């Protein structure tokens, strides 16, 4: 809602920062231009569809190739890392009480899910960590807020665990697969399958402020997310049948919080953190760039 956001920023004494994106939002621009091509000259129109969505939803894309037990084991291993210890302690202490072999119980499933969501919320708010753990809809549910599709949690199991029918583990696994089927795959199919450009906005300054471990988490998350993108060079036919994302930009946001002489350093840091992901995309034939930018200039440089 571009006009509403602009009005909020310019509302005099009542001005406020617009709310962040909480669901799919689209804007269509029709650009009229004059072509000087020898073959296709004259007036033309370019239709540009801009699709915005909460960045947290990107975290879900790697789940499409994961089993529940793999995701659960990875979630617990991540929570036990030293820089997560303080934030994860309440969830780890409560989570050990949920036995995967126990009889399936909806009340227990809800309690386990709420405990895991509370952990993710604490992780997101903690100054020493960056929340880069899926499911992204647990952090930003959008239209699914309160839905049973979000009522599951990782149990402390091995990556190759199997669950007997009717057990709590089987219930969690079923909900996890339903989440992928109902939420993640339609999001990928309905939006990513038709994109040919991707801009990934990254809050590099918050990660840098949180420390080396948070930067490493961010680097890992960017690599996993890009693996889920359908990147590569578009051929003539693929543009109409199965378009690929042939241009990707990793943009470090809030650049105006730094002096303009440091913008090139912020861009270099962005390029370093996204380096592995960029090399993978370039290897597939896509064009990848990094930059530092600010959506709105919120600071003013001065000499005191």
């Amino acid at each position: 809602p571009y006009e509403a956001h602009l009005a909020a920023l310019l509302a005099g004494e009542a001005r406020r920062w617009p709310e962040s994106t909480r669901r799919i939002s689209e804007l269509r621009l029709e650009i009229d231009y004059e072509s000087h091509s020898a073959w296709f000259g004259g007036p033309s129109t370019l239709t540009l569809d801009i699709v915005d969505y909460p960045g947290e939803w990107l975290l879900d894309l790697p789940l499409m190739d994961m089993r529940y037990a793999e995701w659960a084991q990875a979630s617990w291993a991540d929570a036990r890392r030293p820089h997560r210890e303080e934030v994860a302690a309440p969830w780890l202490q409560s989570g050990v009480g949920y036995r995967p072999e126990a009889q399936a119980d909806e009340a227990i499933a809800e309690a386990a899910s709420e405990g895991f969501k509370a952990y993710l919320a604490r992780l997101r708010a903690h100054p020493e960590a960056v929340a880069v753990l899926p499911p992204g809809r647990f952090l930003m549910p959008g239209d699914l807020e309160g839905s049973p599709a979000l009522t599951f949690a990782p149990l402390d199991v091995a990556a190759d665990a199997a669950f007997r029918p009717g057990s709590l583990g089987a219930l969690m696994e079923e909900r996890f697969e339903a989440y992928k089927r109902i939420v993640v795959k339609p999001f990928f199919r309905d939006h990513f399958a038709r994109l040919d450009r991707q801009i990934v906005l990254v809050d590099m300054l918050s990660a840098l402020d949180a420390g080396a471990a948070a930067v490493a988490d961010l680097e890992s998350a960017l690599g996993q997310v890009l693996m889920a993108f359908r990147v590569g060079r578009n051929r003539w036919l693929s543009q109409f049948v199965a378009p690929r994302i042939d241009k990707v930009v990793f943009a470090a946001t809030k650049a105006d919080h730094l002096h303009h002489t440091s913008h090139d350093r912020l861009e270099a840091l962005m390029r370093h953190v996204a380096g592995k992901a960029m090399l993978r995309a370039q290897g597939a034939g896509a064009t990848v760039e990094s930059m530092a930018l600010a959506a709105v200039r919120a600071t003013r440089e001065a000499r005191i």
Side-chain angles (χ1 to χ4, degrees), residues 292-303:
L293 56 77
V296 176
R297 188 178 68 181
T299 60
R300 180 177 299 152
E301 295 178 7
R303 178 172 295 177

Side-chain angles (χ1 to χ4, degrees), residues 59-67 71 134-135 176 179-180 184:
L59 302 174
D60 286 344
L61 297 182
L63 294 180
M64 291 192 296
D65 297 322
M66 296 183 72
R67 295 174 54 250
W71 167 71
F176 177 79
Y179 180 83
K180 292 197 300 182
V184 183

Side-chain angles (χ1 to χ4, degrees), residues 16-34:
R16 57 178 175 79
W17 194 259
E19 291 186 5
S20 61
T21 304
R22 296 185 175 274
R23 53 180 53 85
I24 293 289
S25 179
E26 298 188 44
L27 179 68
R28 170 166 291 185
L29 301 177
E30 293 187 352
I31 304 170
D32 296 325
Y33 67 98
E34 186 83 13

Side-chain angles (χ1 to χ4, degrees), residues 133-149:
L133 294 178
R137 296 281 183 137
F138 281 18
L139 289 169
M140 194 67 69
D143 296 332
L144 292 174
E145 189 163 6
S147 168

Side-chain angles (χ1 to χ4, degrees), residues 4-19:
H5 285 175
L6 188 61
L9 288 169
L10 302 176
E13 293 297 325
R15 64 183 179 272
R16 57 178 175 79
W17 194 259
E19 291 186 5

Side-chain angles (χ1 to χ4, degrees), residues 119-298:
Y119 157 58
L120 292 181
R122 288 194 303 271
L123 186 63
R124 187 184 194 187
H126 198 273
E128 298 300 323
V130 176
V132 291
L133 294 178
R137 296 281 183 137
F138 281 18
L139 289 169
M140 194 67 69
D143 296 332
L144 292 174
E145 189 163 6
S147 168
L150 305 186
T151 310
F152 64 93
L155 300 176
D156 191 8
V157 297
D160 58 351
F163 310 103
R164 67 170 180 82
S167 66
L168 181 62
L171 175 63
M172 295 296 190
E173 184 176 46
E174 180 184 339
R175 295 271 173 88
F176 177 79
E177 293 299 328
Y179 180 83
K180 292 197 300 182
R181 185 177 64 254
I182 298 170
V183 178
V184 183
K185 290 182 178 179
F187 173 58
F188 182 85
R189 181 188 64 240
D190 298 340
H191 298 284
F192 277 86
R194 61 188 181 93
L195 295 180
D196 57 4
R197 303 285 190 274
Q198 178 69 37
I199 302 172
V200 183
L201 303 178
V202 182
D203 189 353
M204 275 294 305
L205 294 179
S206 293
L208 289 169
D209 189 50
V215 174
D217 286 342
L218 182 61
E219 181 178 7
S220 175
L222 289 175
Q224 292 175 7
V225 164
L226 193 65
M227 286 181 66
F229 288 176
R230 186 184 292 150
V231 298
R233 183 181 294 109
N234 271 315
R235 307 295 181 182
W236 180 84
L237 184 61
S238 69
Q239 291 180 335
F240 301 96
V241 178
R244 293 179 175 273
I245 299 175
D246 58 7
K247 291 188 178 181
V248 182
V249 169
F250 289 96
T253 60
K254 305 177 184 177
D256 68 308
H257 288 213
L258 298 176
H259 193 272
H260 71 272
T261 56
S262 292
H263 288 179
D264 59 337
R265 301 171 192 178
L266 181 61
E267 181 179 331
L269 283 166
M270 181 73 263
R271 190 163 53 249
H272 174 74
V273 171
K276 294 179 182 178
M278 294 174 71
L279 285 174
R280 189 176 295 113
Q282 289 168 342
T287 301
V288 188
E289 297 181 10
S290 63
M291 64 174 61
L293 56 77
V296 176
R297 188 178 68 181

